[in-house]
Amino acid sequence: MSAHCQLTGARPGFGNSISHSHRRTSRRFDPNVQRKRYWLAGEGRYVRLTLSAKAIKTVDAIGVESAVARIRARGVKV
């Protein structure tokens, strides 16, 4: 599963792990991404969205219909 959010567009950040001896190695900071299924009443079907934890709270606040409209406005197929 790709580590990006369909609603907010959150993607992994990159940086370095720094050991006690101060050696640096590459690492990746992944967003907290979950796959969640919502009932889309307007279309009479379920949609499965890949959302970050913050985006799940946003969907709870604004509703599924408007969240899917925002996702489609970003050019992502739902």
Side-chain angles (χ1 to χ4, degrees), residues 10-26:
R11 290 188 175 271
F14 295 90
N16 290 310
S17 290
I18 302 178
S19 69
H20 181 69
S21 65
H22 219 63
R23 279 185 72 119
R24 293 183 166 110
T25 55
S26 294

Side-chain angles (χ1 to χ4, degrees), residues 38-63:
Y38 289 101
W39 174 251
L40 198 57
E43 298 180 15
R45 68 183 184 105
Y46 283 100
V47 291
R48 190 174 300 273
L49 302 175
T50 305
L51 301 171
S52 63
K54 180 181 176 181
I56 291 172
K57 294 172 191 171
T58 303
V59 170
D60 291 342
I62 66 173

Side-chain angles (χ1 to χ4, degrees), residues 1-13 28-36 38 48-59 62 67-68 70-72 74-78:
M1 167 171 56
S2 171
H4 76 276
C5 176
Q6 289 179 314
L7 182 60
T8 62
R11 290 188 175 271
R28 189 174 139 140
F29 298 90
D30 285 328
N32 185 7
V33 172
Q34 312 292 324
R35 300 232 338 138
K36 194 145 168 66
Y38 289 101
R48 190 174 300 273
L49 302 175
T50 305
L51 301 171
S52 63
K54 180 181 176 181
I56 291 172
K57 294 172 191 171
T58 303
V59 170
I62 66 173
V68 169
R70 283 188 192 180
I71 291 170
R72 287 182 174 146
R74 293 182 74 239
V76 179
K77 185 179 176 223
V78 177

